[in-house]
Amino acid sequence: MEKKRNIVEWAMHYRQIVILVTCCLVAFGIYSLPQMQKNEFPDFTIRQGMVIAVAPGNTVNEMVEQVTKPLEDYIFSYKEVKKEKTFSTTRDGIVFVQVELNDELNNKDEFWSKFKHGVATFKSQLPPNVLAIQVMDDFGDTSALLITMESKDKTYRELSDYMDELKNRLRRISSVGRLTVSGERAEQISIYLDPERLSHYGLNEQLIAGQLFAKGFVTTGGRIQTPQYVLPVHVEKTFNTLYDVQQQIVYSDPSGNVVRLQDVARVVKEYPHADSYIKNNGTKCILLSVEMKKGKNIVQMGNDIDRVLEEFKTELPSEVNMFRITDQAQVVGDSVNAFLRELVIAIVAVVIVVMLLLPLRVALVAASTIPVTIFISLGLFYAFGIELNTVTLAALIVTLGMIVDNSIVIIDSYLEKIGEGMSRWHASIF
């Protein structure tokens, strides 16, 4: 009766099939490396969010009774909310509620979509002076690329126009997600009333402000900028030129005499006072944040963005410069290249070290297990949708040592059994 072969003996007996399958898997792994998903860090679920309600003029006690308590009761009506980790902070006119979801919740996007719709409906049950309720749930989104556009000569409006054109081109890349611009400053038309001219015509600030409000003007509430009292009035976009604003009639009498705004005020187009701004290399700039869609290859996205940027730079004026502040695509690409370099170094090191103790043929067998195992692993990563990131690269690097150790232990045992008189076939099976 023929003895039943175990899996090792079967593989040796049909070694042509095993070699063919192994070569196919290695080839698939080599093909998978440039195709597979790559990212700097693995995706993880952020189960925290923030709910902000604003009611100007309310004291802390009024906010607690009228807004905080009803809002908390509504939030706790959702079974997905982890009550022991959800808390609120109330101040004059505003309340912050930090919401944390249960750990077993996997589809957080579906919950937040339902939650935002519910909060928008719930707002009608709050007092009328609650101006807005904002739900923020995108704390886990990270920027894959930060680009500054800067110039010493161009205005913010011109830089914004160039940035809009760049955004339009980047949107055509399928892997590009949200695009966010920071540091923009919009121009405004400001009106500075002159007290002496007002006195000459027998007018005052309140009368002028009333006339301007009736025509659709918006004010910031006034500001004392010099020892002389000045009331700035900002203009909505319905007035496009300085001339339109200067010619506005603010007073008229029965005789047909009129007083125009330019007669009692200085009207200028300027940038408002900025509480914050962005500079790079000591130059004013605006900042573009590029996020990647989930499940995409960040290295491929980086290559697509590079082509767009190189073409766009040729169309920019010489006085406008673009700089990359952070570039995850380059970081990930460098990490993959470093891993491949370490892989080659490991193979060479194994051959040299093992040759000092064992024959060359044995050293080559031990070294060959490294690329075979690694590329088969990469092929399995690609087949099962596992991306290449910092964690998976670290795991592959750690396994390099284990692969070499296993190979040397098996070969050493094989040579030992041959030395004891066992046949090559049975020593290999053992």
Side-chain angles (χ1 to χ4, degrees):
M1 184 175 178
E2 185 179 356
K3 183 180 177 182
K4 187 177 181 180
R5 298 190 181 103
N6 61 28
I7 188 172
V8 175
E9 187 175 0
W10 183 92
M12 292 175 57
H13 187 76
Y14 299 102
R15 56 187 176 276
Q16 293 86 354
I17 298 177
V18 175
I19 292 174
L20 176 62
V21 172
T22 302
C23 291
C24 291
L25 291 175
V26 170
F28 180 67
I30 296 174
Y31 164 80
S32 302
L33 182 58
Q35 306 295 329
M36 65 192 308
Q37 300 173 11
K38 301 181 183 69
N39 207 344
E40 184 172 9
F41 298 105
D43 291 329
F44 51 90
T45 302
I46 301 293
R47 294 183 171 86
Q48 287 80 28
M50 184 77 73
V51 181
I52 305 171
V54 180
N58 281 13
T59 63
V60 172
N61 293 334
E62 291 173 336
M63 288 296 296
V64 170
E65 293 298 326
Q66 300 177 15
V67 182
T68 305
K69 288 183 178 180
L71 186 57
E72 286 180 343
D73 291 340
Y74 176 77
I75 292 174
F76 288 148
S77 67
Y78 287 88
K79 63 180 182 299
E80 296 91 345
V81 174
K82 183 184 289 187
K83 296 181 180 180
E84 60 272 18
K85 291 295 185 67
T86 299
F87 60 91
S88 62
T89 303
T90 306
R91 299 175 183 171
D92 289 338
I94 192 169
V95 57
F96 306 90
V97 183
Q98 181 170 322
V99 181
E100 182 159 342
L101 307 181
N102 293 324
D103 296 335
E104 60 270 16
L105 179 65
N106 294 321
N107 194 346
K108 69 178 185 67
D109 294 333
E110 179 181 344
F111 167 79
W112 286 119
S113 178
K114 177 179 66 175
F115 182 75
K116 288 179 180 179
H117 179 74
V119 168
T121 305
F122 173 75
K123 181 179 178 296
S124 61
Q125 303 179 25
L126 296 176
N129 65 329
V130 178
L131 297 184
I133 300 181
Q134 180 71 31
V135 179
M136 303 173 62
D137 66 307
D138 56 353
F139 296 106
D141 297 340
T142 57
S143 176
L145 177 65
L146 291 177
I147 305 174
T148 63
M149 184 175 293
E150 55 193 63
S151 174
K152 294 182 178 179
D153 303 321
K154 298 293 184 179
T155 64
Y156 279 100
R157 172 181 287 183
E158 292 173 311
L159 291 179
S160 296
D161 292 339
Y162 294 133
M163 186 63 78
D164 289 340
E165 176 61 25
L166 177 59
K167 287 169 59 180
N168 291 334
R169 300 190 184 190
L170 292 178
R171 285 195 184 98
R172 301 169 189 168
I173 301 175
S174 60
S175 55
V176 170
R178 181 166 57 180
L179 299 171
T180 306
V181 179
S182 304
E184 290 183 306
R185 294 177 63 185
E187 284 185 312
Q188 68 182 19
I189 298 177
S190 299
I191 303 169
Y192 297 93
L193 300 176
D194 189 329
E196 294 184 1
R197 296 185 192 176
L198 290 174
S199 299
H200 176 74
Y201 290 104
L203 304 175
N204 56 48
E205 294 89 348
Q206 289 74 20
L207 178 62
I208 299 298
Q211 291 290 333
L212 295 179
F213 294 155
K215 298 177 183 296
F217 284 63
V218 177
T219 180
T220 60
R223 180 184 301 143
I224 298 177
Q225 296 177 323
T226 65
Q228 183 181 17
Y229 181 71
V230 177
L231 178 65
V233 180
H234 306 305
V235 182
E236 286 284 12
K237 293 182 179 179
T238 50
F239 298 90
N240 296 318
T241 66
L242 285 175
Y243 181 80
D244 293 339
V245 179
Q246 291 170 345
Q247 296 302 310
Q248 291 302 309
I249 297 175
V250 295
Y251 178 77
S252 62
D253 60 19
S255 301
N257 298 316
V258 297
V259 178
R260 301 185 183 275
L261 192 57
Q262 65 179 0
D263 298 327
V264 295
R266 179 171 59 92
V267 183
V268 295
K269 180 177 288 188
E270 62 183 7
Y271 290 104
H273 175 73
D275 296 327
S276 62
Y277 55 89
I278 300 176
K279 280 190 174 183
N280 185 44
N281 300 322
T283 306
K284 70 174 185 294
C285 66
I286 54 179
L287 181 70
L288 175 64
S289 171
V290 182
E291 297 179 11
M292 184 185 71
K293 293 180 180 178
K294 289 186 178 180
K296 299 296 184 179
N297 186 344
I298 193 171
V299 176
Q300 182 62 44
M301 186 190 77
N303 294 333
D304 295 338
I305 291 178
D306 287 343
R307 288 192 289 270
V308 172
L309 292 180
E310 290 302 320
E311 179 183 355
F312 185 69
K313 285 180 179 179
T314 60
E315 303 175 12
L316 285 176
S318 58
E319 58 268 23
V320 179
N321 299 315
M322 291 196 303
F323 292 92
R324 300 191 188 200
I325 305 300
T326 61
D327 190 350
Q328 284 191 7
Q330 182 178 359
V331 172
V332 174
D334 292 343
S335 299
V336 174
N337 293 333
F339 169 73
L340 296 176
R341 184 171 59 252
E342 295 293 333
L343 182 63
V344 174
I345 293 175
I347 295 173
V348 174
V350 168
V351 172
I352 295 175
V353 172
V354 177
M355 279 180 57
L356 300 177
L357 305 175
L358 300 173
L360 175 62
R361 186 176 179 183
V362 175
L364 294 177
V365 171
S368 67
T369 61
I370 298 176
V372 170
T373 308
I374 292 298
F375 283 114
I376 290 178
S377 300
L378 292 175
L380 293 175
F381 278 16
Y382 180 67
F384 288 100
I386 301 174
E387 68 179 13
L388 205 60
N389 53 52
T390 304
V391 176
T392 52
L393 279 175
L396 290 174
I397 292 173
V398 170
T399 58
L400 288 179
M402 300 171 59
I403 294 169
V404 175
D405 289 344
N406 292 338
S407 302
I408 293 178
V409 169
I410 292 173
I411 294 173
D412 183 64
S413 177
Y414 167 78
L415 295 176
E416 182 181 349
K417 292 302 177 182
I418 289 181
E420 294 176 357
M422 188 179 292
S423 67
R424 294 173 58 188
W425 182 266
H426 291 91
S428 300
I429 296 174
F430 181 84

